[in-house]
Amino acid sequence: MLNIYYYPKANNCNQYANNTIKAISASLECDVQNAPCLKEFVKRPLTYILAKRVDYLIVNWLESELSNKEGKISILGTLKFFVYLVFFKLVADKLIYVRHNMYPHNMHGVSAKIAQHITNIAEKLFCYKKVAHSGHLTHAGYIYIPHPLYDSVDFSEINKGEYFIIFGKIERYKNIESVINEWNNENLLIIAGAVGDCDYLREIMLLAENKNKNVKFEARFIPEEEASRLVGNSKGVILAHAEKDMIASGSFFYALSLGVPIIAKKQPFFEWLVNDEKIKSVYVYEDFTELNNIAYFRIEISADLILKEATELFGEEKVQKCWKEMLK
């Protein structure tokens, strides 16, 4: 039986980690444990130095350490990034690096390029295989494994409302202002989620007020049951993120899990889904005239069809099969 560590530690708030661990455990009939952190190693170094190494250690989001609060390269964070990788090589035979972003969301310009380059080098030096949740990166040596879906809700409670939604943590990188600025729709636009950037929230609220746009804000932590209803009752989820850091979007998979169509800014991930996977649940736009046209006229897909597509492309069986093929 394989012994596998997973980093970072899973918790009840992270469905992605929990569902990934569940898929790996089920596909290989093994126990996936939380990887130790550096603090644990410092407290009991001999425990890990003398212990038998596990077969695999699956690493997620470690590149986030490279960025400081200002979105610049962190020298201390870069050191921590490499120390973690050395430590992981000490405790595991093989590292699997799951690349969620090309570089941290809050980084731009030279800092973003440096962070991307550092992560690329680290993957080559330390990792047995590298994984991405989008097939558009297979040409760069990544193994495609579908992103798991989120837990569904009781659809007997879903009653579609006359609104579209931008859902998730309110952060500057999500480009929400571009949607507000050009929103020209009789349907309400709801922006809902916990606040990650208070200054940015004030800016977009003022923009909506000054432009007299049909926009409502639910800027707060939204409990899971309420979030499911809010997103599930919408006519569609809008994803406006336009930077090149994104590989796949968690908000996309959340919407798909609820049977909700997605209107997304043109990105390699969404183009791959539409062109290669022939997904019908995603409507890609290049400009905001097209966004408004899609919201007005073009969404003609049922929740049942969306859920069928979601299960075929990202369901438990598909995710388990891909992990098993890679780790067998």
Side-chain angles (χ1 to χ4, degrees):
M1 181 184 292
L2 291 175
N3 293 311
I4 300 174
Y5 276 160
Y6 187 93
Y7 177 88
K9 290 184 177 181
N11 58 60
N12 293 331
C13 298
N14 190 336
Q15 272 202 47
Y16 166 82
N18 293 333
N19 291 346
T20 298
I21 290 172
K22 180 181 175 183
I24 296 169
S25 299
S27 64
L28 295 166
E29 297 182 347
C30 65
D31 183 27
V32 180
Q33 301 178 54
N34 289 322
C37 65
L38 285 177
K39 287 183 180 179
E40 292 169 317
F41 174 70
V42 171
K43 288 179 181 178
R44 301 187 305 276
L46 287 178
T47 301
Y48 299 102
I49 292 171
L50 299 177
K52 182 182 177 182
R53 292 159 72 180
V54 298
D55 298 292
Y56 293 102
L57 195 154
I58 298 167
V59 186
N60 298 267
W61 293 294
L62 193 62
E63 68 274 6
S64 298
E65 299 287 353
L66 300 173
S67 176
N68 62 22
K69 292 180 180 179
E70 289 72 41
K72 304 296 183 183
I73 285 290
S74 167
I75 302 301
L76 185 60
T78 301
L79 177 62
K80 186 177 179 181
F81 173 82
F82 281 106
V83 169
Y84 252 116
L85 288 171
V86 170
F87 170 52
F88 287 157
K89 286 292 287 182
L90 177 69
V91 299
D93 284 334
K94 296 173 182 176
L95 301 190
I96 307 293
Y97 199 101
V98 183
R99 190 79 173 260
H100 293 274
N101 303 294
M102 298 313 296
Y103 50 85
H105 287 315
N106 67 335
M107 300 185 90
H108 303 280
V110 174
S111 291
K113 290 180 180 178
I114 293 172
Q116 184 170 345
H117 190 57
I118 289 172
T119 309
N120 292 344
I121 291 172
E123 287 175 334
K124 291 178 182 178
L125 291 177
F126 293 93
C127 299
Y128 170 64
K129 289 180 181 177
K130 52 186 184 178
V131 168
H133 292 312
S134 176
H136 81 273
L137 285 174
T138 54
H139 72 278
Y142 289 87
I143 296 169
Y144 170 64
I145 293 183
H147 187 297
L149 296 171
Y150 291 87
D151 295 338
S152 60
V153 296
D154 180 359
F155 277 86
S156 63
E157 299 180 6
I158 297 294
N159 297 296
K160 291 295 182 184
E162 296 300 313
Y163 65 88
F164 291 86
I165 189 167
I166 296 175
F167 180 79
K169 200 169 186 179
I170 299 173
E171 299 271 16
R172 193 174 297 273
Y173 76 86
K174 293 191 176 178
N175 200 29
I176 299 169
E177 74 278 4
S178 63
V179 180
I180 295 174
N181 202 42
E182 301 296 335
W183 188 249
N184 184 21
N185 199 299
E186 63 187 17
N187 292 288
L188 178 66
L189 172 65
I190 295 179
I191 297 163
V195 181
D197 186 330
C198 293
D199 291 337
Y200 181 59
L201 174 63
R202 284 191 287 269
E203 289 173 26
I204 59 177
M205 291 182 75
L206 185 61
L207 176 64
E209 184 180 343
N210 290 342
K211 294 277 187 175
N212 195 28
K213 297 294 183 177
N214 190 19
V215 178
K216 178 183 177 183
F217 291 86
E218 293 287 351
R220 56 187 173 84
F221 170 76
I222 301 174
E224 179 60 35
E225 187 175 340
E226 183 184 354
S228 296
R229 288 198 303 271
L230 191 61
V231 175
N233 286 332
S234 72
K235 297 181 76 171
V237 168
I238 297 173
L239 301 173
H241 182 198
E243 294 294 326
K244 295 180 180 179
D245 59 311
M246 187 187 80
I247 293 176
S249 166
S251 296
F252 163 79
F253 291 100
Y254 187 66
L256 209 63
S257 302
L258 294 167
V260 177
I262 296 95
I263 307 174
K265 187 80 170 66
K266 187 177 180 180
Q267 286 274 7
F269 170 61
F270 297 118
E271 288 184 281
W272 168 73
L273 283 172
V274 171
N275 297 330
D276 292 41
E277 298 295 294
K278 309 300 180 186
I279 194 169
K280 295 180 175 60
S281 311
V282 178
Y283 300 80
V284 177
Y285 70 92
E286 290 195 60
D287 58 50
F288 290 98
T289 298
E290 192 174 4
L291 166 63
N292 282 296
N293 286 338
I294 291 170
Y296 264 124
F297 306 115
R298 287 178 50 192
I299 296 182
E300 297 177 354
I301 186 168
S302 68
D304 288 340
L305 180 55
I306 295 171
L307 291 169
K308 182 174 182 291
E309 280 193 327
T311 301
E312 289 173 353
L313 293 172
F314 312 107
E316 280 186 16
E317 186 176 329
K318 185 76 176 286
V319 174
Q320 289 178 17
K321 180 183 176 182
C322 290
W323 276 111
K324 185 174 184 178
E325 286 177 354
M326 190 186 68
L327 295 174
K328 64 184 179 183

